[in-house]
Amino acid sequence: MATRQVLAGAQVVLPTGTITNGRVTVDGTRIAENAPADTQAHADTLDLTGHWVVPGFVDLHNHGGGGASFTSGTVEDVLKGVHTHRLHGTTTLVASTVTGEMDFLAERAGLLSELAEQGDIAGIHFEGPFISPCRKGAHSEDLLRHPDPADVRKLIDAARGRAKMLTLATELPGGLDSVRLLAEHGVIAAIGHTDATYEQTVEAIDAGATVATHLFNAMPGLGHRAPGPIAALLEDERITVELINDGTHLHPAALELAFHRAGADRVAFITDAMDAAGFGDGRYMLGPLEVEVRDSVARLVEGGSIAGSTLTLDRAFKRSVSVDGISVEDTVRALCANPARLLGMADTVGSLEPGKDADLVVLDADFDLKGVMRKGEWVVSPA
């Protein structure tokens, strides 16, 4: 059973800044206190001198891991994938689907909603089928359809209140009405896999869209006469941009442009992970499409399109700080606070504040993962 624990001596990252030689006290499943460390020794103290303690990571967009798929696997498969990502610091995870037949997606929503009700996942993200055939990426073109609000409502209803986000190409017929429907039901409308113009994207934001699905990927490039969706999404304060920081999906200059144009409070680092994350190279299925993972890069066997990632958020954290030069505090915003806020979960996760879930990650001085706690229990023990 979870008991009182004191983590002392680390650099503790809080919303107000970093405490050097800090202390985090965990009481059961909750954080009881954060403060500078005292000099008194406690029997229940774990000395983490030379380490960082940051909040547990929150992943908005994830299709699987550990050789298991959220898009088509059994309950046991989904739990295996969730556990794989927990081993890499993701203590809150939204399970993402891919394009499929409507009845199949409704069935998946039913299965995933049960796991959300049990607290194993934070909710469901529908990626497709309401996306542009011009920007389909690793989605089956034969199964794509326009975003008819009646079909969108079918998926919302099938999720039984556990739908968190739906990605759609808002320029398609029914797109704007679907965005309004999603907003009315408290579901994030995310613009992605889109061929929209700048003007069409502005219209979708005004209709209620609030997220850019993996910015830059599966959308027109930034042009100086036709700026397209990227410029509209970066410039609008109402939009949070997802970024896949794996060194494959984005050139470092593109990541820097997005991060510094949007600002640290409008970026959410995601994995967009598929089955191979935390597992290895090989052949996999992503929905109905076959994927080959080689040197940790996932591509469709037919056509060669990038097919999700093999990223885990501990690697995204280390790359952000060590390669991209983003501060630890801003990286924590992108991996923890911002996605928690988007999901409506900022009162329980996303920061190390008293009363919140005792979800945290311990990193060493090189930002390699050494410990993971979820609700007061060590998933990876740093001892």
Side-chain angles (χ1 to χ4, degrees), residues 53-359:
V53 175
V54 301
F57 308 144
V58 182
D59 196 353
L60 287 172
H61 186 156
N62 189 316
H63 298 279
S69 172
F70 301 154
T71 67
S72 59
T74 64
V75 167
E76 290 73 23
D77 289 332
V78 176
L79 293 176
K80 180 182 179 183
V82 169
H83 182 67
T84 296
H85 285 282
R86 285 184 187 166
L87 294 174
H88 293 275
T90 298
T91 51
T92 302
L93 179 150
V94 175
S96 301
T97 64
V98 295
T99 292
E101 297 281 2
M102 286 297 297
D103 288 344
F104 176 77
L105 291 174
E107 180 184 329
R108 291 304 297 172
L111 181 148
L112 293 171
S113 66
E114 291 182 10
L115 294 176
E117 288 160 8
Q118 294 169 192
D120 296 302
I121 61 174
I124 305 164
H125 163 220
F126 297 102
E127 187 177 20
F130 313 116
I131 61 176
S132 172
C134 303
R135 306 287 174 176
K136 64 183 184 297
H139 292 255
S140 175
E141 186 168 354
D142 294 340
L143 298 174
L144 301 182
R145 58 175 60 211
H146 291 160
D148 184 322
D151 287 337
V152 172
R153 179 63 187 267
K154 179 178 180 178
L155 295 184
I156 294 173
D157 290 345
R160 303 201 303 261
R162 301 296 175 168
K164 290 292 186 178
M165 183 163 66
L166 187 146
T167 294
L168 71 165
T170 54
E171 76 277 9
L172 296 176
L176 295 180
D177 285 339
S178 292
V179 168
R180 296 184 187 102
L181 175 70
L182 291 165
E184 289 169 5
H185 285 81
V187 179
I188 296 166
I191 300 173
H193 289 275
T194 176
D195 203 41
T197 64
Y198 173 90
E199 291 76 15
Q200 288 171 324
T201 306
V202 169
E203 196 174 7
I205 297 169
D206 287 339
T210 56
V211 165
T213 292
H214 43 54
L215 188 75
F216 295 107
N217 292 280
M219 61 182 63
L222 185 64
H224 64 291
R225 292 193 182 93
I230 294 171
L233 294 164
L234 280 176
E235 73 183 9
D236 199 299
E237 296 294 323
R238 295 169 289 182
I239 292 290
T240 298
V241 298
E242 292 183 349
L243 298 175
I244 307 171
N245 193 16
D246 61 353
T248 297
H249 281 77
L250 296 174
H251 189 282
L255 183 134
E256 182 179 12
L257 170 66
F259 202 99
H260 292 290
R261 177 62 185 90
D265 291 330
R266 290 179 48 219
V267 170
F269 284 146
I270 61 162
T271 60
D272 193 15
M274 45 78 70
D275 311 16
F279 198 67
D281 289 358
R283 290 282 182 108
Y284 299 86
M285 297 300 296
L286 185 61
L289 302 179
E290 191 173 13
V291 175
E292 182 172 13
V293 178
R294 185 181 301 172
D295 297 328
S296 298
V297 177
R299 294 186 179 275
L300 290 182
V301 170
E302 190 172 324
S305 176
I306 292 178
S309 86
T310 62
L311 185 64
T312 52
L313 284 183
D314 58 332
R315 286 169 45 209
F317 192 111
K318 180 167 182 171
R319 182 178 179 86
S320 175
V321 177
S322 302
V323 177
D324 302 312
I326 297 169
S327 72
V328 173
E329 293 80 5
D330 284 349
T331 299
V332 166
R333 289 185 179 93
L335 279 170
C336 312
N338 297 344
R341 170 180 47 79
L342 278 171
L343 294 174
M345 300 178 69
D347 57 337
T348 56
V349 300
S351 62
L352 301 175
E353 295 177 279
K356 294 192 178 184
D357 290 349
D359 293 356

Side-chain angles (χ1 to χ4, degrees), residues 318 362-371:
K318 180 167 182 171
V362 179
L363 304 168
D364 67 14
D366 295 322
F367 302 102
D368 290 317
L369 183 143
K370 294 300 178 183

